[in-house]
Amino acid sequence: MSQATLDHPQTQDAAQVQSPLDLAMRLFESAADRLKLSENLREMLRTFTRILEVAVPIRMDSGAIRTFTGYRVQHSDARGPFKGGIRYHPEVTMDEVKALAMWMTWKCALVNIPFGGAKGGVVCDPREMSPTEIERLTRRFTSSIQPIIGPDQDIPAPDVNTNPQVMSWILDTYSMNTGRRALGCVTGKPITVGGTLGRLGATSMGLAETIAAAAKTLGMPLHEARIVIQGFGNVGSNLAAILHERGCRVIGVSDVNCALVNRSRLDVPALMRHVRETGTIQGFPEAEEVDREALLEIECDVLAPCALGSAINRTNADRVRTRILAEGANGPTTTIADRILREKGVFILPDILANAGGVTVSYFEWVQGIQSFFWTEEEVNSRLKGIMRTAYLETFAMAEREKIDMRSAAHMIGVRRVADAIETLGLYP
Ligand code: GLU
C-alpha cells in the first residue's frame, strides 16, 4: 500500500492524519497475520458485538433543550464482561469509539484481567457546559445505555474529560433505575461511594512502572532523565508528579491552552497547585511558554503523549527526539509515525501496554465492590505493579522471540488470548 493511502496526506490537519479505526484495524490484521488466525476467527474478532447510538436530549441552564449524540460500542466479551471508559469530547465519532473499544479488548487480554472491551462517548464540549448540564447529560446518557450495561454485562469507567464525579452520577442513575445499589456497575468512582484507593493515579502509576522497566532494558538511568508530557489531565499530571518524585526532570508539559518548558526542571508540585487554582498550566511563572506542536520535538529521554489520538503523525514524527515513547493516550501514534520512530530507534511502550494501569485498577475496584471488601492503597499499588511488570516482560519476551517491535508483540499476545477464549467457548447455538 502506498504511503499516500496509509496516512491520508491530503488532509492538512495533522490531527486527522489517519482515522483511529484504520489504525486499530491495521494493527489487528497484522497481529492476525502473524498468528496465522483462520479467516473465521479473524472475522469474529474484527466485528463488533453490539453498537448503540443514542440521542441525549437535555435541558440547558438557559432553558433551551439540546440533543447530543452518544455511543456505546461493545467489541468482544469473550474473556469477560465488556469494559471501557466513556469520553466527552466534541470530536467523538462512532468510528473512534469502535477503535477504542477494540483496543480495550486487547488491553484487558494483555494484562490478563477477565474483561472484554467496550467504549462509550458523547459528542459534546464539556468545557462549555456547566456542572449541572454535565450531570443531566450523564444521567440521561446512562439511562439510554442502561439496557446494555451492568456489573456482569458492561462496566463503564472514566476516559477523556470524565472523572470520578461523572462516575458517581452513573452509579446513582443506574441504582435509581434498577432499584438496587450495584457497586460493580461502574469503576473510577469516588472513594466515598465505593471507589478504590489508587484508581485516580492508576494509569500514571502503571505508565511509570513500564517506563522504569523500559529504562532498565535500555540500561538508561531514570534519575535526572528528561521527561516531556503532552496533556495535563488525570494521566499526564499524575505521571509528572510520580516521575518528579522519583528524581526525573520533567522539562516540558502541555495542555489544551499551551505548552511549557523549563530546561532544568519544572517544579511539578507548584505547577499542580497552579492548575488547581486556575484550571490550566498557562500562566505558570517558572517556565517558558512554547508552541504546543514544538513540545513534541524537544530532545528528551521519555516522551509521554497523554492527550488524544494521532498526536504523533507523519507531519512531526521525524522531528521527535526521544529514547522512549510511553503512550499514556490511546492511539497517539499513526501507522507511518510508528514506522518512522522505529527506524530512528525509539523504544515504544505501546498504549495497550503502557496505559493499562487504569483498567487494571478498575478491575480491582470491581472486585472490591462486588465483595464489599476494600483493600489498602499499598495492596492496590503492589498488585498493579506486579501485573504491569508481568505484562511488560511477556511483551518484551514476545518481541525478542518473534524479532518484532513491542506494539506488534503486545497485539499478538492480546489477540491470541481473545482468539483462544473464542475457540474454547465454541459457537452458540
Ligand atoms: N479509559 C481507560 C482506558 O482507556 C480506563 C478504562 C477502564 O478503567 O475501564 O484504558
Side-chain angles (χ1 to χ4, degrees), residues 368-409:
Q368 293 170 75
I370 285 171
Q371 299 184 339
S372 284
F373 181 72
F374 292 87
W375 310 350
T376 64
E377 191 156 7
E378 289 69 43
E379 279 174 278
V380 170
N381 286 340
S382 86
R383 286 194 164 118
L384 168 63
K385 285 179 186 169
I387 286 185
M388 294 307 295
R389 265 198 297 271
T390 303
Y392 175 87
L393 292 174
E394 285 177 348
T395 306
F396 188 72
M398 175 67 94
E400 292 278 282
R401 194 170 68 236
E402 299 288 320
K403 300 188 175 39
I404 52 175
D405 59 289
M406 291 288 279
R407 192 188 308 281
S408 303

Side-chain angles (χ1 to χ4, degrees), residues 18-303:
Q18 180 187 25
S19 82
L21 189 56
D22 182 60
L23 175 59
M25 284 298 179
R26 279 167 196 276
L27 290 166
F28 163 68
E29 297 295 346
S30 86
D33 285 346
R34 287 200 169 93
L35 290 164
K36 300 188 174 54
L37 288 191
S38 69
E39 189 45 44
N40 290 342
L41 266 173
R42 291 167 84 115
E43 200 168 299
M44 289 176 82
L45 288 166
R46 74 165 80 91
T47 312
F48 295 81
T49 301
R50 196 178 281 120
I51 295 174
L52 180 62
E53 177 178 326
V54 294
V56 191
I58 64 157
R59 197 175 298 283
M60 307 301 280
D61 293 344
S62 67
I65 292 172
R66 270 190 66 191
T67 301
F68 297 87
T69 302
Y71 305 101
R72 185 72 185 171
V73 174
Q74 299 175 333
H75 174 241
S76 164
D77 64 349
R79 287 177 42 91
F82 300 102
K83 184 85 190 82
I86 290 174
R87 62 171 58 182
Y88 290 169
H89 197 276
E91 273 149 34
V92 163
T93 62
M94 166 134 35
D95 274 2
E96 181 195 49
V97 179
K98 283 165 81 173
L100 292 161
M102 182 180 265
W103 283 324
M104 286 309 300
T105 304
W106 315 143
K107 190 188 300 187
C108 292
L110 177 62
V111 288
N112 220 347
I113 58 177
F115 288 133
K119 204 76 168 198
V122 179
V123 189
C124 66
D125 190 350
R127 287 192 301 161
E128 287 176 358
M129 296 169 73
S130 71
T132 51
E133 287 169 344
I134 294 173
E135 177 174 355
R136 287 194 288 276
L137 178 90
T138 303
R139 290 185 180 279
R140 181 65 189 239
F141 177 62
T142 305
S143 290
S144 303
I145 64 169
Q146 177 120 10
I148 65 164
I149 62 169
D152 48 14
Q153 258 183 292
D154 180 357
I155 306 120
D159 197 76
V160 173
N161 290 335
T162 54
N163 56 26
Q165 176 62 74
V166 171
M167 299 307 116
S168 81
W169 291 326
I170 295 177
L171 170 71
D172 191 54
T173 305
Y174 185 89
S175 306
M176 294 308 292
N177 287 346
T178 56
R180 49 173 63 89
R181 172 65 63 99
L183 284 187
C185 78
V186 62
T187 60
K189 301 181 291 294
I191 309 292
T192 44
V193 293
T196 180
L197 294 164
R199 176 62 184 85
L200 215 49
T203 309
S204 317
M205 187 73 89
L207 251 177
E209 204 53 37
T210 55
I211 291 169
K216 198 166 161 201
T217 300
L218 298 175
M220 179 185 111
L222 259 191
H223 190 73
E224 297 286 319
R226 295 159 304 168
I227 315 288
V228 171
I229 301 173
Q230 183 202 35
F232 214 69
N234 183 43
V235 179
S237 65
N238 282 306
L239 180 67
I242 293 167
L243 294 180
H244 178 83
E245 177 115 316
R246 293 190 187 167
C248 301
R249 294 192 290 141
V250 179
I251 59 168
V253 298
S254 69
D255 70 2
V256 282
N257 298 312
C258 75
L260 297 179
V261 174
N262 181 327
R263 306 246 171 214
S264 77
R265 60 159 39 95
L266 284 157
D267 181 346
V268 177
L271 178 61
M272 305 264 289
R273 274 196 300 281
H274 176 84
V275 171
R276 266 196 300 277
E277 281 156 20
T278 66
T280 172
I281 62 169
Q282 198 157 33
F284 180 65
E286 296 155 49
E288 180 196 340
E289 200 174 309
V290 299
D291 186 59
R292 286 171 66 222
E293 258 300 304
L295 182 92
L296 299 170
E297 299 164 16
I298 296 171
E299 190 176 350
C300 58
D301 300 303
V302 180
L303 173 63

